[in-house]
Amino acid sequence: MNKLATMIPLLIGDKEVGRTALNKLVFFADVAHFLQHGKPISDTPHMKLTHGPVPQGITEVRFDLIRKGLLRETEREDRFFRQFSYSVPEGVDLAGMREGLEPSERQAIDIVRERLAGRTANYLSSHSHRFEPWNSSKPGFEMDLTRTREDKALRRWLTDEGILQ
């Protein structure tokens, strides 16, 4: 599996995570690892879309994980729109998935899951819109993660959230 496919179940863990929140968890795990180790975990470009950063190709990766039984999708409809959330089915070998990652990657994923997976999509989206590389990116284009190095407010928020030390 590629690293994005590995990250998704590991970031969800034993929770149920909405689609927007999942996109942001991947983004913040990549940013945290990039800031601490000089490279993102997923090696997947993050695109600047309306509701925040979205890993390129995540839709296909989610469908593949669902097809393989490694991810469950739940759809809920209300009067206005449909919401999708994801969980990891019982019996999926998360420990085995972790083995394909570097220790620093596992640590970044664990911390982001522990600190942010319980946050709302609105909270995560609003914070993904406050910092670099969001501010300097053009809508619909790839975001340049190197811009995160210059953003002191982003580092302060990640530190306050317990993601960076």
Side-chain angles (χ1 to χ4, degrees), residues 55-96:
Q56 188 174 45
I58 194 168
T59 300
E60 294 81 10
V61 171
R62 278 194 327 263
F63 286 146
D64 190 48
L65 289 169
I66 291 166
R67 187 179 53 74
K68 291 177 178 175
L70 300 172
L71 192 65
R72 179 182 302 122
E73 180 179 69
T74 303
E75 179 181 349
R76 292 180 183 86
E77 288 192 52
D78 68 17
R79 293 182 6 211
F80 303 106
F81 57 93
R82 287 189 270 171
Q83 293 181 323
F84 296 89
S85 61
Y86 302 91
S87 58
V88 178
E90 192 172 312
V92 170
D93 183 14
L94 293 175

Side-chain angles (χ1 to χ4, degrees), residues 3 16-17 19 39 46 48-49 51 53 61 73 78 86 113 115 123 131 147 149 152:
K3 292 215 178 163
E16 185 170 332
V17 177
R19 182 178 290 171
K39 62 181 183 142
H46 292 268
K48 182 178 181 173
L49 301 183
H51 298 289
V61 171
E73 180 179 69
D78 68 17
Y86 302 91
R113 184 187 63 251
R115 304 294 183 169
Y123 177 84
F131 309 113
R147 302 295 300 241
R149 291 181 182 138
K152 291 181 176 139

